[in-house]
Amino acid sequence: MPPTTGGAAEPKQDRSRVTRQRLLEATVRCVAERGWAASTMAVIAAEAGISRGALQHHFPTREALVVAGLEHIFEERRLDLDRLTATVGAGTSSGTNDTGADETHPAESDTTETDAGRPDADGVHAVVVRLVEIYTGEHFRAALQVWSAAAADPALRETVLPLERHFARSAHAMAVAALGVDDTDPQQRALVQATLDLARGLGLGDLLTDDSRRRTHVVRAWSTQLAAALGR
Amino acid sequence: MPPTTGGAAEPKQDRSRVTRQRLLEATVRCVAERGWAASTMAVIAAEAGISRGALQHHFPTREALVVAGLEHIFEERRLDLDRLTATVGAGTSSGTNDTGADETHPAESDTTETDAGRPDADGVHAVVVRLVEIYTGEHFRAALQVWSAAAADPALRETVLPLERHFARSAHAMAVAALGVDDTDPQQRALVQATLDLARGLGLGDLLTDDSRRRTHVVRAWSTQLAAALGR
């Protein structure tokens, strides 16, 4: 995203980018922990360890900050999904699935992919596990606080909606790719959507308490069902 | 719930119960539309059309009001589910399913129940539709605002958690009864949980925009899958 420029401007641009990154991470952390209303510009500047003036240099308004914050959340989730697709797609041929270690395919991960882009039942399970993870971390908690605030604030809602629509479409496309489903088949398409809705519901179930044990069983039951429906 | 008393005390108690009901409905409406932070005692009293003193007579603290509000939400959802169970259980033999009219079983609803308490595929679909409805109305939106606030407020979280645990258990038990599943079978149990998680995720998807068209397809795809998994 940053424009490519050469020469002496780069170190300053790098510094600026690092500050921007730190600000966005502080924004996400603040909103996830304190909620949207409490995450004022002053609170976020303090959390990031910079002056309020420096914050306003990067983001003149709170609206600009929330848009950038949501885009940052989206980008982080997208990277998670990209890593997932790479892991599942890698099958036996690479060492990149070391982050996706799972009790279900320790040694026999050569069965993870049946043919190009079509993970088998274990692969489907790995994809569902990762999709659900994307909805249970700090980024999701921050997004949830923004959604709740937006539900009670028409102006914020108008800001948030196009970003959410864009994210929903991308998440769907990435899940379709990772699962290797035929998105023109209405039933397969709806099952991918259902899987993302389930992930969102599980994320919500994890908001006030650690729901990970229960979630493990639910994800297993769901992915078994999904794999069967997809003929894997 | 109200104690049974006789004689002259009744009319006053009735009036008090009506006021309490109106207050709880105003609380739910306020919280769903404005969020938790904005729903102060003064705002809720104004919404209900009573004085702040009268509000405090019924609920001395905001905490007492939120607990009663959540219990009210829970009770309303429980009644929805009870009606659902009655509708599905009634099959052809009663007129109570007029509220559950659905394009999938207009005339041949005599196939809705295979045997005692075990709805067939159409019945499973009807149950899933109703479960999802419970998570997409004003009550769910209000609950979501409370959950978000509780995620950023440890004291509120401690108040809310036991109520939520109780609700989750009851919702599960009611879904088990409506679907007629064997809750001692781990796979069937997990599929009921997944259905409720899906319903919660679909509710979240409806927060900022009318998601009903997409939801219809998702619910259909999942209920087809669930019915097959349950052998209906």
Side-chain angles (χ1 to χ4, degrees):
Chain A
M1 283 278 218
T4 51
T5 58
E10 278 212 359
K12 196 179 167 194
Q13 282 216 341
D14 278 353
R15 212 163 55 232
S16 177
R17 201 161 58 225
V18 168
T19 304
R20 187 184 152 90
Q21 182 74 8
R22 203 169 72 193
L23 276 171
L24 293 177
E25 281 162 11
T27 304
V28 170
R29 205 162 53 240
C30 255
V31 173
E33 285 172 11
R34 307 182 190 214
W36 169 245
S39 297
T40 61
M41 294 291 266
V43 165
I44 290 168
E47 176 82 25
I50 66 166
S51 72
R52 196 170 157 169
L55 171 58
Q56 278 176 327
H57 171 72
H58 286 271
F59 303 104
T61 63
R62 201 165 165 235
E63 191 192 40
L65 183 59
V66 75
V67 169
L70 284 171
E71 282 170 346
H72 177 70
I73 290 171
F74 167 71
E75 183 62 14
E76 292 292 317
R77 286 159 138 197
R78 201 184 60 71
L79 289 172
D80 281 345
L81 263 177
D82 274 358
R83 279 189 287 268
L84 161 70
T85 315
T87 307
V88 175
T92 54
S93 63
S94 102
T96 57
N97 65 358
D98 53 359
T99 58
D102 185 321
E103 80 278 11
T104 65
H105 49 117
E108 71 281 79
S109 62
D110 53 340
T111 63
T112 296
E113 194 169 333
T114 48
D115 48 56
R118 299 191 71 230
D120 69 2
D122 284 346
V124 167
H125 179 65
V127 173
V128 175
V129 165
R130 191 65 68 90
L131 286 173
V132 169
E133 275 171 12
I134 291 171
Y135 287 84
T136 44
E138 189 178 64
H139 291 121
F140 176 75
R141 298 163 88 86
L144 188 62
Q145 293 291 348
V146 177
W147 296 334
S148 305
D153 176 344
L156 184 60
R157 183 178 165 282
E158 291 312 306
T159 303
V160 166
L161 259 187
L163 292 167
E164 283 304 322
R165 287 214 179 94
H166 179 63
F167 179 67
R169 270 196 296 271
S170 300
H172 180 83
M174 289 187 285
V176 162
L179 291 166
V181 303
D182 176 7
D183 202 35
T184 63
D185 176 317
Q187 176 74 1
Q188 294 203 9
R189 181 179 168 78
L191 285 174
V192 170
Q193 292 181 310
T195 302
L196 290 166
D197 286 312
L198 171 75
R200 224 186 297 135
L202 287 168
L204 195 48
D206 200 60
L207 185 67
L208 299 183
T209 187
D210 178 1
D211 191 38
S212 51
R213 265 196 63 192
R214 191 190 71 88
R215 188 166 65 239
T216 302
H217 296 294
V218 171
V219 166
R220 169 64 66 190
W222 184 276
S223 66
T224 301
Q225 222 43 55
L226 179 63
L230 299 175
R232 309 295 168 85
Chain B
M1 284 276 223
T4 52
T5 58
E10 274 210 2
K12 196 179 169 194
Q13 281 215 343
D14 277 353
R15 211 165 53 235
S16 178
R17 199 162 60 223
V18 168
T19 305
R20 189 185 151 90
Q21 182 75 8
R22 203 169 71 191
L23 275 171
L24 292 177
E25 280 162 11
T27 304
V28 170
R29 205 163 52 239
C30 254
V31 172
E33 284 173 11
R34 309 182 190 214
W36 169 244
S39 298
T40 60
M41 294 290 268
V43 166
I44 290 167
E47 176 82 24
I50 67 165
S51 73
R52 197 170 156 167
L55 172 58
Q56 279 176 327
H57 171 71
H58 285 270
F59 303 103
T61 65
R62 200 166 167 235
E63 193 191 38
L65 183 58
V66 74
V67 169
L70 284 172
E71 282 169 347
H72 177 69
I73 291 172
F74 167 70
E75 183 61 15
E76 291 293 317
R77 287 160 141 198
R78 201 184 60 70
L79 290 172
D80 281 343
L81 263 176
D82 274 357
R83 278 188 287 267
L84 162 70
T85 315
T87 307
V88 175
T92 54
S93 63
S94 104
T96 58
N97 66 358
D98 55 357
T99 58
D102 184 323
E103 81 279 10
T104 65
H105 49 118
E108 70 280 83
S109 60
D110 52 341
T111 64
T112 296
E113 195 170 328
T114 47
D115 48 56
R118 297 190 72 231
D120 69 2
D122 284 345
V124 166
H125 179 66
V127 173
V128 175
V129 165
R130 192 64 70 92
L131 285 173
V132 169
E133 273 171 12
I134 292 170
Y135 287 85
T136 42
E138 189 178 64
H139 290 121
F140 177 75
R141 297 163 87 87
L144 189 64
Q145 292 292 347
V146 177
W147 295 334
S148 304
D153 176 343
L156 184 59
R157 184 178 165 281
E158 291 312 306
T159 303
V160 165
L161 259 187
L163 291 166
E164 282 304 322
R165 286 212 180 94
H166 178 63
F167 178 67
R169 270 196 297 270
S170 301
H172 180 82
M174 289 186 284
V176 162
L179 291 166
V181 304
D182 176 6
D183 202 36
T184 62
D185 175 319
Q187 176 73 3
Q188 294 203 9
R189 181 177 168 80
L191 287 174
V192 171
Q193 293 181 309
T195 303
L196 290 166
D197 286 312
L198 172 69
R200 224 187 297 135
L202 287 168
L204 196 47
D206 200 61
L207 185 66
L208 298 184
T209 187
D210 177 2
D211 192 37
S212 51
R213 264 197 64 190
R214 192 190 70 87
R215 188 165 65 239
T216 302
H217 296 294
V218 171
V219 166
R220 169 64 66 192
W222 174 245
S223 68
T224 302
Q225 216 47 50
L226 180 62
L230 299 175
R232 309 296 168 81

